[in-house]
Amino acid sequence: MDKRTRTDAAAEQGRAAGGCYPGADGAPMDVGGALIQLTGLVQAVYARVSERHDLTPVQARLLCVLMYGPRGMAELANCFGVEKAALTGLMDRAERRGLAQRSPVPGDRRALQATLTDAGRQKAIAFHTEIGAELGHLISPLAPDDSEHFRSAMAKIIQGYGNRA
């Protein structure tokens, strides 16, 4: 699929995901409406790529988080905004599929940490590579300078929000 076709497909998904918001027809929109519509686009792409990798979106997110190293179960529950019981179910399913495993935390016999298996790491890398490319297509209509400004603005927003949390 060429770049233009992917962009058109992403736009179509956006109309389906967020087309009822102001600005869906190209008219100016407020920041909230724009972010909501962009979120719909991102979620549609994320779901589609997750499905191609035989993952649910939350499983894909778990693999991507664990790609950067072991995480404690409490830390993961906080990261996902869920109770430990819900995270336990997610980890149970990942373990059954051979994608992740739990092990004791050295020095704390009551705590567990989650890590990727070799198969989980391979799947995480493949998913992460493809989702990066697909999401990159969302900003392909931007000029190079605009694209860099967009990346910079996103980084500032994420960093600013992280400092408040």
Side-chain angles (χ1 to χ4, degrees), residues 42-65 67-68 99 116 119-135:
V42 170
Q43 287 176 338
V45 171
Y46 202 88
R48 188 180 74 242
V49 174
S50 296
E51 186 176 331
R52 282 200 299 254
H53 288 266
D54 192 29
L55 297 166
T56 65
V58 72
Q59 288 170 338
R61 184 173 174 211
L62 175 66
L63 296 184
C64 288
V65 168
M67 209 168 77
Y68 297 100
L99 301 173
L116 291 176
R121 179 162 307 288
Q122 290 173 3
K123 192 170 274 281
I125 290 168
F127 173 81
H128 194 268
T129 300
E130 185 174 350
I131 195 65
E134 289 288 322
L135 290 174

Side-chain angles (χ1 to χ4, degrees), residues 4-112:
R4 183 71 195 139
T5 305
R6 279 190 278 246
T7 303
D8 291 342
E12 182 59 35
Q13 287 176 334
R15 284 190 287 280
C20 58
Y21 294 101
D25 59 357
M29 68 175 82
D30 62 45
V31 171
L35 288 173
I36 289 168
Q37 193 164 355
L38 184 58
T39 299
L41 280 166
V42 170
Q43 287 176 338
V45 171
Y46 202 88
R48 188 180 74 242
V49 174
S50 296
E51 186 176 331
R52 282 200 299 254
H53 288 266
D54 192 29
L55 297 166
T56 65
V58 72
Q59 288 170 338
R61 184 173 174 211
L62 175 66
L63 296 184
C64 288
V65 168
L66 293 177
M67 209 168 77
Y68 297 100
R71 298 286 183 102
M73 297 298 286
E75 180 185 4
L76 281 173
N78 187 49
C79 176
F80 280 75
V82 298
E83 296 295 322
K84 286 183 190 177
L87 184 67
T88 297
L90 175 61
M91 279 301 301
D92 287 346
R93 290 184 293 281
E95 283 181 320
R96 278 195 299 272
R97 292 189 61 192
L99 301 173
Q101 60 190 15
R102 287 172 275 207
S103 60
V105 174
D108 187 349
R109 62 187 183 114
R110 295 182 306 154
L112 294 174

